[in-house]
């Protein structure tokens, strides 16, 4: 993993997260994805962030492929793809840096269809149920995970 420390953290978001702020606010709150991006950038400080969202499984896989070559770490909220996308899982398995899976809601307190994420077994860490604060926690935690720490200042 040598040389990853100077690379950006890729924060990747799956389907329907572009609707945050208005989508089921009782579950997801009222914070928009743009506000989450700003919080991630603030938390990262001088560390570079690539922040993206897509409703397309193919696009998300393409971004994971980019991260394989370019990222120090991946923070991913795969949303519904968590439970359905073996193709996304296979792409993530090729990444040799830390992967933090984030879910705004606690997927284990929801309907049974949401209880088994395909990503969780290969993720370095999983954050679920902290609301949008989970993104900040993921960025902050990457400083303590091998291979993701920013160079000492």
């Amino acid at each position: 993993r040598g040389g990853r420390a100077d690379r950006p953290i890729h924060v990747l978001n799956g389907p329907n997260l572009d609707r945050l702020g208005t989508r089921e606010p009782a579950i997801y709150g009222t914070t928009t994805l743009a506000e989450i991006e700003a919080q991630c950038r603030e938390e990262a400080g001088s560390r570079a962030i690539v922040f993206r969202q897509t409703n397309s499984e193919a696009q998300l896989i393409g971004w994971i492929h980019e991260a394989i070559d370019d990222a120090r770490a991946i923070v991913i909220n795969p949303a519904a793809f968590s439970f359905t996308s073996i193709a996304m899982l296979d792409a993530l398995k090729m990444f040799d840096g830390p992967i933090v899976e984030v879910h705004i809601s606690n997927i284990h307190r929801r309907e049974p269809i949401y209880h088994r994420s395909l990503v969780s077994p290969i993720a370095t860490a999983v954050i679920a149920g902290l609301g949008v604060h989970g993104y900040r926690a993921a960025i902050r935690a990457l400083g303590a995970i091998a291979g993701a720490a920013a160079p000492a200042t």
Side-chain angles (χ1 to χ4, degrees):
R1 288 183 211 172
R4 283 207 182 274
D6 59 343
R7 297 179 184 182
I9 297 168
H10 285 226
V11 181
L12 306 177
N13 294 278
N16 300 311
L17 293 172
D18 56 328
R19 305 298 297 173
L20 288 175
T22 58
R23 175 189 179 206
E24 298 181 90
I27 295 173
Y28 300 107
T30 57
T31 304
T32 67
L33 194 62
E35 291 169 326
I36 292 170
E37 179 178 1
Q39 292 170 5
C40 286
R41 292 187 185 286
E42 179 183 338
E43 188 66 44
S46 64
R47 293 177 290 173
I49 295 281
V50 173
F51 193 97
R52 295 172 165 164
Q53 185 279 329
T54 184
N55 294 318
S56 164
E57 182 179 25
Q59 182 69 68
L60 185 58
I61 292 166
W63 290 340
I64 293 167
H65 290 175
E66 287 181 25
I68 291 166
D69 298 328
D70 185 50
R72 83 169 64 193
I74 295 174
V75 173
I76 187 165
N77 184 341
F81 295 145
S82 307
F83 318 105
T84 63
S85 181
I86 293 171
M88 179 194 63
L89 170 64
D90 286 346
L92 286 168
K93 287 166 66 175
M94 290 186 266
F95 184 71
D96 69 352
I99 299 169
V100 180
E101 179 184 9
V102 173
H103 295 281
I104 294 170
S105 68
N106 182 346
I107 59 175
H108 304 288
R109 292 187 68 185
R110 299 194 55 200
E111 299 89 342
I113 195 169
Y114 299 115
H115 291 183
R116 185 175 174 269
S117 166
L118 298 173
V119 176
S120 295
I122 61 100
T124 307
V126 178
I127 299 171
L130 291 182
V132 299
H133 305 293
Y135 285 89
R136 278 184 175 264
I139 303 271
R140 190 169 34 255
L142 286 171
I145 295 173
T153 55

